[in-house]
Amino acid sequence: MWSKKLVITVSSIKGGVGKSSTVILLANNLAARGYKVLVIDMDLNNTATIYYTIGLPNVQEMWERKNIVIALVQNNAAENAVSSRIKNVDVIPSSLNLCDMRGMDYRNLLKIIKPLSKSYDYILIDTSPTFDNLVKSAIHSADLILSPAEATEYNCNMALYLMTKIKEEHPEKYPNTYIVFNRWNEHYEQWENNLQSQVERMFRKNFRNILSVKIPQSGSFNKYTHFDERLRSDDRNANARRMVAAINSIVDMITGKEQFVETF
């Protein structure tokens, strides 16, 4: 579906929709396929930073020495990328000092990550749930933008705001911006007029680029993105198995190659 989409930004105005989880699952799946992946954490919540670095030696000291703020100030992303605890995944950690960078030129991020194309097959950028210069820099840098959304009217309004801002301020990025439904309840699909289906129709009325793949709801979702448990295709939980299939399908679109990763 997509070709040569090296830099992938995951963005949403609405918090709690699974941005960081989507970044982690996509990155881990790509890494399991043998691709070299860099995760850039520009989310002040630093979920991806903690996931990829927790347990590493002197981790808090490392966060102070190497992070996205230092990379931007020193114009050197490569020196601030650290090997994570997941094979084939490096990460540039987040920093609370990002709050002081909101006035920066939004074009700076692209300048420092361009040289990384020779070192990484894919770069994934996690963002905060807002639309400031930091998010604009991640959008400006992206070849592909994925915006996770839950099927609620409020999510639809937030997605409409983000899409409008991208269309107005970064029109060249709009055709490669896609909404992906997250925490989708497949059980409700049997009833045409349930709230989830009604909101889906609302989304489709407003947006052209919506992925057909939906990431399913799962009560155990966080254990795959906050703890050291891997998604498995033979999991006893049916929603976990559906999640494996969904993430594989999205990554197939990203790479242009069909490959089913059983554990990631």
Side-chain angles (χ1 to χ4, degrees), residues 30 38 54 75 124 167 254:
L30 283 163
L38 174 66
I54 197 70
N75 293 315
L124 283 84
K167 196 171 185 178
I254 291 170

Side-chain angles (χ1 to χ4, degrees), residues 34-208:
Y35 294 105
K36 186 65 175 174
V37 181
L38 174 66
V39 172
I40 300 178
D41 191 355
M42 298 188 71
D43 186 353
L44 287 168
N45 289 323
N46 74 345
T47 300
T49 295
I50 294 172
Y51 174 85
Y52 282 114
T53 62
I54 197 70
L56 297 181
N58 303 314
V59 65
Q60 290 188 326
E61 179 187 345
M62 181 267 290
W63 292 342
E64 293 295 324
R65 289 187 295 104
K66 296 191 175 189
N67 59 62
I68 184 59
V69 170
I70 294 174
L72 288 166
V73 170
Q74 297 181 347
N75 293 315
N76 194 329
E79 287 297 318
N80 286 277
V82 299
S83 298
S84 82
R85 61 189 187 85
I86 303 296
K87 182 180 178 182
N88 290 333
V89 179
D90 290 350
V91 60
I92 298 181
S94 182
S95 169
L96 289 175
N97 292 325
L98 275 170
C99 292
D100 300 325
M101 301 294 291
R102 286 177 166 151
M104 75 172 194
D105 188 328
Y106 71 84
R107 294 167 293 189
N108 286 355
L109 179 63
L110 180 58
K111 293 177 183 177
I112 69 169
I113 65 176
K114 265 188 175 181
L116 300 177
S117 61
K118 294 180 180 179
S119 302
Y120 297 98
D121 298 303
Y122 293 97
I123 298 172
L124 283 84
I125 306 175
D126 193 12
T127 60
S128 292
T130 184
F131 193 83
D132 56 13
N133 269 15
L134 298 174
V135 174
K136 288 176 65 174
S137 70
I139 288 170
H140 176 69
S141 302
D143 300 306
L144 171 67
I145 302 164
L146 297 178
S147 184
E150 295 182 51
T152 69
E153 185 175 352
Y154 186 65
N155 270 263
C156 187
N157 291 336
M158 292 294 97
L160 185 59
Y161 178 84
L162 176 63
M163 296 299 174
T164 300
K165 297 296 283 185
I166 293 174
K167 196 171 185 178
E168 290 176 350
E169 300 188 25
H170 303 275
E172 75 284 1
K173 303 296 180 181
Y174 185 74
N176 289 319
T177 302
Y178 293 80
I179 288 172
V180 53
F181 283 118
N182 200 3
R183 299 182 180 136
W184 184 263
N185 195 321
E186 191 175 276
H187 177 70
Y188 292 151
E189 291 182 345
Q190 59 186 307
W191 296 294
E192 181 180 353
N193 291 318
N194 74 82
L195 181 59
Q196 179 178 264
S197 297
Q198 291 180 46
V199 174
E200 181 186 11
R201 289 194 289 272
M202 185 186 304
F203 267 89
R204 296 195 180 280
K205 181 179 179 181
N206 285 285
F207 307 109
R208 179 185 63 185

Side-chain angles (χ1 to χ4, degrees), residues 196-225:
Q196 179 178 264
S197 297
Q198 291 180 46
V199 174
E200 181 186 11
R201 289 194 289 272
M202 185 186 304
F203 267 89
R204 296 195 180 280
K205 181 179 179 181
N206 285 285
F207 307 109
R208 179 185 63 185
N209 291 350
I210 300 178
L211 293 189
S212 58
V213 179
K214 302 177 176 76
I215 301 174
Q217 182 180 17
S218 174
S220 56
F221 190 80
N222 283 346
K223 73 179 182 180
Y224 306 115
T225 56

Side-chain angles (χ1 to χ4, degrees), residues 3-23:
S3 60
K4 297 182 180 179
K5 302 302 182 186
L6 171 68
V7 181
I8 303 165
T9 290
V10 180
S11 180
S12 172
I13 297 293
K14 173 74 170 61
V17 295
K19 285 187 299 78
S20 299
S21 299
T22 300
V23 167

